[in-house]
């Protein structure tokens, strides 16, 4: 009580919770500049946001007339980034670095404890923050300059080396078939960096309008920081007991409540590892290290461990290679898993890795191309196998990473003999699976391994490669003739086994059939609006029955008319997409399922009072033919028809236009000064804004 009397209450302040900007209020921080140097007076050219990722990009102008601006450097950077060409893809259209981009990053993942406060007339109004973002300059333009530099270097090169040309003569085609994805494979794919990057790229940018600090719109938005209702019903969150209020201010930390993993995948805690059973300790160690001498394994397990028990456990998860223990393939590739590179199932990966391990039992050196030729696996999988247990040596191949452990072989001859018997069984399985030849089974001579590596010239390598190609071609030709003879003999006696027929893979032709629908996935089995099973068309001349024509035309006209009254401007590609969506919402047997061609759709657009706008697309555009056809509603029957017609005439002569040009042209043609709201209405009906320029809907190229 004495302390409370010494510390009297001076003032009571009412606290209100404002909800108007809930989930819309962000706090921007600029950590590279002091608070006194703000960007309030800097011209903001554009702004865009990805709401789900809370990612923001701002484009601000650079004062090129400032005496501290180096004009020569600005011109040089613009030249490096854009080159000599000037088109809409250029980063700096003025041939001068006159703008910079700021990209955001999240300063805190959990902002539930942060709010923006405004104090006014003895009241404190709080608005919860939706995100705290730090904006820093983005240097992606340097990546574009590096890409152009690499393109120039590639163009200056005369071509590939003679060795590359020789190796390109023969290429092996591997045909892979997709398998059902397991839950473990799906989790690995979802957690991968490539998947996260792809998911982030799928979210589209939302372009925003920037209003300055002193703009009237900003003043209007700032009023939403105040609570709209002062009643107790709107602020029930602030009516709490003292204990509940304290819990809200200082919630308990949840980070310490997370359970620690039993066995870390990359970094092993030896103190935690030794709490596990001996068999689990050895399995985790071998799975992480992959290749280990027996003495090192005993050292990691700690003093007092029985070597006999270790030997018994290690044989369950590893095989003996060159006197060292190498983890078994089925430990690294469990059942129902697949390769992260090629999607090959675990059984095939285990056979390929066992072949590599068996080769190292025969020799200290392995050639990567030989392994790939026998196992028929992709180069990435083969490289993973070799990196598990060997080291690459220039001009020699892959050498087993550990020296031969003679001490272990002498001390444990019974273990060595048992492992040799296991390897004999593995060799027998590999011979059946891979049809191994004698050259694969016989180890290379030791003299050749101990000799110094020979220096082979480029011409000799080319000749050796050509000779090897001829040799392999002869073997493949004999094998093909033998298979043809077997197939002929089988045809005369029984039906051919379809599973054993090998189909020669030919490259897919570049010619594609005509695209009848821009969005096939939305048709629900429709081919340009026609079910394959339905066929009201006349089988003789392909025309609709007489009674269906009028109903189809009426339904199609109603769809086209209502769509253009909502959108005003559409490309043929977008119109087909909306039509397919409309078809998907109709019940089966509807008259529009009778088959609507592109020509019928375009004719109906023109019949409903729309006109085709011949937009002058740039010559290097990547738009499809359907995207180049732009249609617009010429008369909607409202007061803005004349304004829209003037706007469409402008875009029939220009691909993109600035707002001031549009506004001046509208005022000149209509004979009146239009206010901002009227111009916004016309632009919203027909156009979209991108990078400070205005385009007709659907004509902006990504």
């Amino acid at each position: 009580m004495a302390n409370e009397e010494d510390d009297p209450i001076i003032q009571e302040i009412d606290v209100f919770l404002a909800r108007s900007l809930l989930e819309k209020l962000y706090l921007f921080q600029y950590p590279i500049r002091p608070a006194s140097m703000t960007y309030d007076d800097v011209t903001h050219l554009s702004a865009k946001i990805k709401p789900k990722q809370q990612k923001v990009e701002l484009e601000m102008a650079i004062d090129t007339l400032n005496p501290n601006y180096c004009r020569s450097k600005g011109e040089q950077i613009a030249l490096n980034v854009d080159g000599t060409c000037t088109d809409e893809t250029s980063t700096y259209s003025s041939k001068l670095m006159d703008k910079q981009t700021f990209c955001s990053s999240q300063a805190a993942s959990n902002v539930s404890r942060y709010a923006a406060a405004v104090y006014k007339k003895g009241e404190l109004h709080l608005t919860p923050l939706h995100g705290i973002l730090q904006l820093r300059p983005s240097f992606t333009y340097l990546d574009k300059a590096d890409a152009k530099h690499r393109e120039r270097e590639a163009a200056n090169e005369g071509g590939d080396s003679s060795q590359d040309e020789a190796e390109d003569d023969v290429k092996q085609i591997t045909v892979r078939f997709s398998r059902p994805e397991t839950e473990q494979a799906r989790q690995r794919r979802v957690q991968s960096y490539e998947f996260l990057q792809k998911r982030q790229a799928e979210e589209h940018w939302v372009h925003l309008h920037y209003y300055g600090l002193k703009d009237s719109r900003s003043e209007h938005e700032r009023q939403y920081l105040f609570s709209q209702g002062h009643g107790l019903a709107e602020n029930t969150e602030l009516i709490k007991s003292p204990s509940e209020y304290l819990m809200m201010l200082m919630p308990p930390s949840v980070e310490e409540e997370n359970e620690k993993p039993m066995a870390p995948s990359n970094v092993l805690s030896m103190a935690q590892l030794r709490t596990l059973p001996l068999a689990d300790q050895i399995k985790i160690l071998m799975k992480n290290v992959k290749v280990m001498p027996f003495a090192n394994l005993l050292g990691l397990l700690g003093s007092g461990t029985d070597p006999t028990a270790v030997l018994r456990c290690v044989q369950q998860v590893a095989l003996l290679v060159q006197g060292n223990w190498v983890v078994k393939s089925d430990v690294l590739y469990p059942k129902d898993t697949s390769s992260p590179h090629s999607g090959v199932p675990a059984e095939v990966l285990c056979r390929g890795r066992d072949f590599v391990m068996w080769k190292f039992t025969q020799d200290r050196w392995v050639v990567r191309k030989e392994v790939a030729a026998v196992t028929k696996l992709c180069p990435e999988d083969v490289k993973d196998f070799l990196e598990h247990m060997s080291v690459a040596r220039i001009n020699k191949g892959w050498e087993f990473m550990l020296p031969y452990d003679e001490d272990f072989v002498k001390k444990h001859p019974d273990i060595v003999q048992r492992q040799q018997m296991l390897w004999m069984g593995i060799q027998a399985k590999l011979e059946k699976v891979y049809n191994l030849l004698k050259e694969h089974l016989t180890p290379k001579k030791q003299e050749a391994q101990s000799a110094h590596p020979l220096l082979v010239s480029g011409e000799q390598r080319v000749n050796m490669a050509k000779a090897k190609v001829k040799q392999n071609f002869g073997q493949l030709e004999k094998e093909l003739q033998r298979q043809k003879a077997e197939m002929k003999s089988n045809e005369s006696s029984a039906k051919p086994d379809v599973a054993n027929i090998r189909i020669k893979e030919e490259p897919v032709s570049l010619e594609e059939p005509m695209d009848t629908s821009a969005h096939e996935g939305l048709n629900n089995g429709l081919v340009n609006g026609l079910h394959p099973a339905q066929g009201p068309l006349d089988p003789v001349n392909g025309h609709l029955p007489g009674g269906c024509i009028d109903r189809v035309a009426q339904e199609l006209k109603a769809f086209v008319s209502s769509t253009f009254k909502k959108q005003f401007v559409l490309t043929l590609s977008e119109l087909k997409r909306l039509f397919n969506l409309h078809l998907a919402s109709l019940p089966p047997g509807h008259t529009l399922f009778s088959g609507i061609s592109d020509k019928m759709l375009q004719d109906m657009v023109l019949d409903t009072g729309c006109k085709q706008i011949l937009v002058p697309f740039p010559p290097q555009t990547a738009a499809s033919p359907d995207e180049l056809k732009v249609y617009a509603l010429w008369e909607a029957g409202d007061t803005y028809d004349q304004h829209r017609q003037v706007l469409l005439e402008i875009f029939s002569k220009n691909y993109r236009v600035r707002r001031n040009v549009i506004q001046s042209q509208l005022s000149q043609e209509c004979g009146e000064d239009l206010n901002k709201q009227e111009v916004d209405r016309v632009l919203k009906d027909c156009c979209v804004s991108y990078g400070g320029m205005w385009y007709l809907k659907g004509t902006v190229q990504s």
Side-chain angles (χ1 to χ4, degrees):
M1 294 295 295
N3 293 335
E4 293 181 0
E5 293 177 357
D6 295 340
D7 189 14
I9 298 176
I10 299 177
Q11 183 182 3
E12 292 186 359
I13 300 175
D14 293 332
V15 180
F16 297 91
L17 182 64
R19 291 177 168 273
S20 300
L21 296 180
L22 194 66
E23 297 185 357
K24 297 179 182 179
L25 187 61
Y26 293 87
L27 174 64
F28 284 6
Q29 297 176 343
Y30 298 88
I32 64 170
R33 294 184 70 167
S36 59
M37 298 177 62
T38 65
Y39 290 97
D40 297 340
D41 298 330
V42 178
T43 303
H44 289 63
L45 302 177
S46 65
K48 55 185 178 180
I49 185 175
K50 289 186 176 182
K52 294 182 180 179
Q53 304 174 34
Q54 293 192 4
K55 187 175 182 180
V56 176
E57 281 193 7
L58 299 178
E59 197 172 83
M60 301 186 190
I62 299 177
D63 185 9
T64 58
L65 302 179
N66 192 291
N68 297 322
Y69 181 81
C70 182
R71 193 173 186 84
S72 61
K73 287 291 185 181
E75 294 175 350
Q76 183 63 45
I77 292 176
L79 181 62
N80 294 339
V81 173
D82 299 327
T84 56
C85 62
T86 56
D87 51 22
E88 69 275 359
T89 61
S90 300
T91 304
Y92 305 110
S93 57
S94 63
K95 296 184 179 181
L96 188 68
M97 184 180 177
D98 55 356
K99 60 184 177 180
Q100 61 177 339
T101 303
F102 287 81
C103 187
S104 69
S105 61
Q106 288 187 348
S109 58
N110 183 13
V111 297
S112 59
R113 299 167 62 181
Y114 297 92
V118 181
Y119 182 75
K120 182 180 180 182
K121 297 181 180 179
E123 297 177 349
L124 185 65
H125 298 260
L126 300 179
T127 302
L129 290 178
H130 188 55
I132 300 178
L133 307 179
Q134 292 185 347
L135 284 91
R136 295 178 175 86
S138 174
F139 300 98
T140 53
Y141 61 89
L142 296 179
D143 298 334
K144 187 176 179 181
D146 291 340
K148 286 190 174 293
H149 179 68
R150 287 193 295 269
E151 290 176 0
R152 288 193 294 268
E153 287 186 347
N156 293 333
E157 291 180 357
D160 297 334
S161 63
S162 58
Q163 179 181 357
D164 295 335
E165 293 175 357
E167 291 179 355
D168 289 339
D169 291 341
V170 177
K171 288 186 178 180
Q172 179 180 353
I173 299 177
T174 303
V175 181
R176 304 186 182 94
F177 299 92
S178 60
R179 295 172 58 89
E181 189 178 34
T182 62
E183 183 63 23
Q184 295 178 348
R186 189 191 69 82
Q187 291 178 357
R188 288 199 303 270
R189 178 176 59 82
V190 169
Q191 295 175 358
S192 64
Y193 176 75
E194 291 80 7
F195 179 82
L196 294 177
Q197 289 291 100
K198 181 180 178 181
R199 189 174 65 177
Q200 291 179 0
E202 287 176 352
E203 183 180 1
H204 297 291
W205 286 104
V206 178
H207 293 270
L208 309 173
H209 292 283
Y210 176 82
Y211 295 95
L213 185 63
K214 300 179 181 179
D215 192 274
S216 58
R217 181 64 181 270
S218 299
E219 294 287 348
H220 177 73
E221 291 292 330
R222 271 196 291 273
Q223 298 302 318
Y224 289 116
L225 293 174
F226 298 98
S227 177
Q228 302 301 315
H230 291 358
L232 295 179
E234 291 81 4
N235 294 276
T236 55
E237 291 83 356
L238 301 181
I239 304 176
K240 302 289 182 182
S241 63
S243 59
E244 292 175 341
Y245 184 66
L246 183 62
M247 186 65 68
M248 291 175 62
L249 289 178
M250 297 294 296
S253 178
V254 296
E255 297 178 355
E256 299 178 357
E257 299 176 1
N258 296 333
E259 295 182 359
K260 296 182 179 179
M262 292 297 296
S265 58
N266 297 327
V267 181
L268 294 176
S269 171
M270 299 305 297
Q272 185 182 0
L273 181 68
R274 288 171 182 170
T275 61
L276 302 176
L278 180 62
D280 293 340
Q281 294 184 43
I282 295 175
K283 182 177 180 180
I284 293 173
L285 286 172
M286 293 303 305
K287 188 176 180 179
N288 283 270
V289 182
K290 298 182 179 59
V291 182
M292 195 186 314
F294 185 72
N296 291 7
L297 180 60
L298 280 178
L300 291 174
L301 294 174
S303 60
T305 307
D306 185 11
T308 305
V310 176
L311 277 173
R312 186 168 53 252
C313 294
V314 75
Q315 293 181 72
Q316 299 176 5
V317 296
L319 293 171
L320 194 66
V321 178
Q322 306 256 350
N324 301 278
W325 291 100
V326 182
V327 64
K328 288 184 177 179
S329 301
D330 55 2
V331 176
L332 292 179
Y333 304 107
K335 191 178 180 181
D336 296 332
T337 60
S338 58
S339 167
H341 305 294
S342 58
V344 173
E347 294 81 0
V348 181
L349 294 177
C350 289
R351 287 200 300 264
R353 189 173 180 275
D354 287 344
F355 176 75
V356 175
M357 295 169 63
W358 172 77
K359 289 291 290 182
F360 278 119
T361 63
Q362 307 294 310
D363 202 343
R364 285 197 60 82
W365 298 89
V366 168
V367 180
R368 177 177 171 179
K369 290 184 178 180
E370 180 183 347
V371 175
V374 173
T375 60
K376 303 294 190 297
L377 292 173
C378 70
E380 291 81 6
D381 289 332
V382 175
K383 186 179 179 182
D384 285 348
F385 300 158
L386 294 171
E387 288 179 343
H388 289 169
M389 62 194 80
S390 58
V391 180
R393 306 294 185 191
I394 299 176
N395 294 332
K396 296 183 70 174
W398 291 77
E399 182 185 11
F400 193 74
M401 63 171 55
L402 296 179
Y404 188 82
D405 193 350
E406 296 182 1
D407 294 338
F408 180 83
V409 174
K410 291 179 181 179
K411 290 181 181 180
H412 306 281
D414 54 336
I415 301 294
V416 175
Q417 184 179 3
R418 190 180 300 119
Q419 291 290 313
Q420 288 178 352
M421 295 176 64
L422 287 175
W423 278 118
M424 290 176 63
I426 294 175
Q427 177 181 340
K429 292 181 180 179
L430 294 175
E431 290 179 10
K432 294 180 181 179
V433 174
Y434 294 127
N435 297 324
L436 299 180
L437 304 176
K438 292 184 179 180
E439 60 183 22
H440 298 140
L441 299 175
T442 56
K444 297 181 180 179
K445 296 182 180 180
Q446 297 296 330
E447 298 84 37
Q449 297 300 330
S450 60
H452 294 287
L454 298 176
L455 297 177
V456 184
S457 64
E459 184 178 358
Q460 291 175 338
R461 287 186 180 182
V462 173
N463 295 333
M464 291 168 60
K466 290 181 178 179
K468 190 172 182 180
V469 168
K470 291 180 180 179
Q471 180 183 0
N472 293 338
F473 180 78
Q475 294 177 357
L476 293 174
E477 188 69 24
K478 292 179 181 178
E479 180 69 16
L480 180 61
Q481 295 297 334
R482 183 182 65 80
Q483 292 180 3
K484 286 183 178 180
E486 290 180 358
M487 291 176 62
K488 288 181 180 179
S489 62
N490 292 335
E491 288 177 357
S492 60
S493 59
K495 294 182 179 181
D497 187 3
V498 180
N500 294 329
I501 298 178
R502 298 186 179 182
I503 301 175
K504 181 180 179 183
E505 295 293 329
E506 294 292 341
V508 181
S509 174
L510 295 177
E511 298 181 359
E512 297 182 356
M514 183 180 68
D515 184 13
T516 58
S517 177
H519 299 269
E520 296 178 356
L522 301 174
N523 288 346
N524 295 333
L526 307 176
V527 180
N528 204 11
L530 179 63
H531 278 286
Q534 298 173 348
L537 293 176
D538 187 357
V540 178
N541 51 25
H543 292 293
L544 289 168
C548 297
I549 297 178
D550 294 337
R551 292 198 303 271
V552 172
Q554 292 175 1
E555 292 287 343
L556 185 60
K557 185 174 182 179
F559 163 76
V560 172
S561 178
S562 62
T563 302
F564 271 94
K565 285 183 179 179
K566 295 178 182 177
Q567 305 292 338
F568 290 98
V569 176
L570 286 171
T571 62
L572 180 59
S573 174
E574 179 66 12
L575 180 62
K576 289 166 65 176
R577 186 186 73 85
L578 296 175
F579 182 63
N580 286 327
L581 284 173
H582 179 64
L583 287 178
S585 65
L586 297 177
H590 196 274
T591 55
L592 285 181
F593 286 130
S594 56
I596 304 299
S597 65
D598 292 353
K599 186 177 185 303
M600 293 173 59
L601 189 61
Q602 295 178 69
D603 292 343
M604 185 58 67
V605 170
L606 298 177
D607 291 342
T608 54
C610 300
K611 288 188 178 182
Q612 183 175 359
I613 309 302
L614 302 178
V615 180
F617 285 87
Q620 64 276 13
T621 180
S624 63
D626 288 347
E627 293 175 338
L628 296 177
K629 296 179 180 179
V630 184
Y631 295 93
L633 182 61
W634 196 251
E635 292 183 358
D638 56 12
T639 57
Y640 294 98
D641 279 346
Q642 184 182 1
H643 305 89
R644 280 192 290 266
Q645 292 172 8
V646 173
L647 182 64
L648 296 175
E649 291 290 345
I650 295 174
F651 280 100
S652 65
K653 302 175 184 178
N654 303 275
Y655 172 58
R656 56 179 185 175
V657 188
R658 294 193 178 274
R659 180 189 175 94
N660 57 354
V661 176
I662 295 175
Q663 189 161 1
S664 62
Q665 192 74 14
L666 286 173
S667 301
Q668 180 179 354
E669 294 292 335
C670 298
E672 55 181 330
D673 293 333
L674 301 178
N675 56 32
K676 182 177 181 298
Q677 287 76 14
E678 292 175 336
V679 177
D680 289 343
R681 166 68 185 275
V682 176
L683 290 175
K684 183 180 178 181
D685 289 343
C686 305
C687 304
V688 292
S689 175
Y690 182 81
M693 304 292 288
W694 287 88
Y695 303 78
L696 279 184
K697 290 181 179 178
T699 62
V700 180
Q701 302 300 313
S702 59

